[in-house]
Amino acid sequence: MSRTAIATSWLPRFGPLIAIVTAALSGVLIALALTVSAPVSGITQASTAIRVGLPIARAAIDLAAVAAVGFALLPLLAGERTPASARPVFARARTVVIASALVWAVAALASLVLQTAELYRPDGTAVSFTDLRSYVDTVAGGKALLIVAGFALVQALLAGAATRLGRKVPPELIVGCGLFALLPLPVTGHATMSHFAEHTMVLLELHIVSVVAWTGGLAAIVVLAARHRALLATVLPRFSQLATVCLAVAVATGVLNGLAQFIENPLVRLWPDLFTTPYGQLLVAKTVALAVIAGLGGYTRWKLLPNVLRHRRTALVSFAVVELALMGLAFGFAAVLGRTPLT
């Protein structure tokens, strides 16, 4: 293989990243269109910038978390016995983790400003530091966003240290820091208003951790490892096992948590409100997207993986791009779903 070919084999693929970001933004816009409601007389409506900016900021938080956790997972999927030629991949993975974690922190802080504006400045006027301090002091969501930003910054610092020290900074520590940053936000949403709050919060946290690890791991493999057949043959079987577990957890916890919101609310009925209310429609759309993703993942495991292990050319990237786009769409739906009332 020529030096040019070797260099090209390590170039990242940006198509999958563009696909998931574009799909997430599309999901947000579709969901906002489904949930738009007429202004209520006597109630101040938040400005358009706030109503649109909040779900976009949440989608940015989710996508940055996906990249930060997923690319941090790549060294763990590769294991200890990886060829020296794979070092450029891990170096690029750490760079992505640093950039994603920083975006994650910025998106969390932007969301904090927007949520403060929604409560104190719905007309779109500037938010003061006093408003921010008051919001953090009185609203659990404000504290959660600060914790998320803090963990994201620590993950960026750890990944930065790993660029110089390599595995002296344990990859598990970088991944663990990212996973901890996922936990505060789920305990400040719909789940906290449930009669089964303790159970629904655990379900939601398991759902988010599994979806982020699954999506992020796939993105990391397709963006960085897919061009190198030997490395791909090592990481893909391990990721396939992880993805199977994550899929089962994501589907089970997502369905249970969604249904719990309907069952315990006396103002709504599972049938037909599951298909006639904006909340129900978004829940169904997200479930359908997960079902299609599961089908694509199954095809990858049973049809494409054997050829990957034989170092043969496959349509892995094409299927993965479609899968990531559907995941992005589901993230967009979820960003609005978390702010949508059941009735």
Side-chain angles (χ1 to χ4, degrees), residues 7-338:
T8 303
S9 69
W10 296 120
L11 291 177
R13 299 175 183 268
F14 294 104
L17 297 180
I18 294 172
I20 191 171
V21 171
T22 303
L25 290 175
S26 300
V28 168
L29 295 177
I30 293 170
L32 286 174
L34 286 174
T35 57
V36 66
S37 58
V40 178
S41 179
I43 298 179
T44 303
Q45 299 294 309
S47 67
T48 301
I50 294 174
R51 287 187 288 108
V52 176
L54 272 170
I56 289 178
R58 182 53 194 261
I61 288 173
D62 293 341
L63 294 181
V66 163
V69 172
F71 283 79
L73 276 172
L74 193 57
L76 296 180
L77 293 173
E80 294 288 344
R81 297 180 180 178
T82 53
S85 60
R87 289 175 183 171
V89 171
F90 300 140
R92 288 189 173 92
R94 295 185 189 106
T95 300
V96 174
V97 173
I98 294 170
S100 301
L102 291 176
V103 171
W104 193 356
V106 171
L109 294 176
S111 186
L112 173 61
V113 172
L114 287 168
Q115 287 183 196
T116 303
E118 183 182 41
L119 181 62
Y120 295 124
R121 311 287 181 180
D123 58 353
T125 55
V127 173
S128 67
F129 179 77
T130 301
D131 295 332
L132 289 171
R133 186 173 60 184
S134 176
Y135 187 83
V136 171
D137 287 341
T138 57
V139 181
K143 298 180 180 69
L145 286 167
L146 282 182
I147 294 172
V148 169
F151 271 112
L153 288 174
V154 172
Q155 188 190 30
L157 291 174
L158 290 172
T163 60
R164 293 192 173 187
L165 302 176
R167 284 186 174 266
K168 290 183 180 180
V169 179
E172 296 87 351
L173 182 60
I174 301 174
V175 173
C177 188
L179 293 178
F180 272 113
L182 296 173
L183 302 181
L185 286 181
V187 301
T188 61
H190 283 159
T192 58
M193 297 179 285
S194 168
H195 294 299
F196 310 102
E198 294 181 1
H199 303 289
T200 53
M201 282 189 292
V202 171
L203 288 174
L204 189 54
E205 289 183 338
L206 286 173
H207 180 78
I208 290 173
V209 168
S210 60
V211 170
V212 166
W214 171 25
T215 308
L218 179 61
I221 289 172
V222 175
V223 171
L224 289 181
R227 292 182 185 272
H228 193 280
R229 295 182 185 179
L231 182 60
L232 182 62
T234 300
V235 300
L236 189 59
R238 295 173 180 174
F239 172 74
S240 182
Q241 295 175 353
L242 173 66
T244 300
V245 175
C246 289
L247 171 63
V249 173
V251 172
T253 54
V255 171
L256 288 174
N257 200 32
L259 292 178
Q261 302 298 322
F262 277 93
I263 293 172
E264 70 172 2
N265 193 322
L267 301 178
V268 297
R269 296 168 297 171
L270 183 60
W271 185 271
D273 289 345
L274 184 61
F275 298 96
T276 58
T277 62
Y279 185 91
Q281 291 167 351
L282 286 177
L283 184 62
V284 170
K286 185 182 173 186
T287 303
V288 170
L290 285 176
V292 177
I293 292 167
L296 292 171
Y299 183 85
T300 299
R301 178 166 186 172
W302 302 114
K303 296 295 184 180
L304 301 183
L305 181 58
N307 288 327
V308 170
L309 295 177
R310 298 185 185 98
H311 295 192
R312 295 177 180 174
R313 293 179 63 87
T314 66
L316 173 66
V317 173
S318 298
F319 277 89
V321 168
V322 175
E323 195 172 340
L324 287 170
L326 288 170
M327 288 174 171
L329 198 64
F331 275 111
F333 292 153
V336 179
L337 186 65

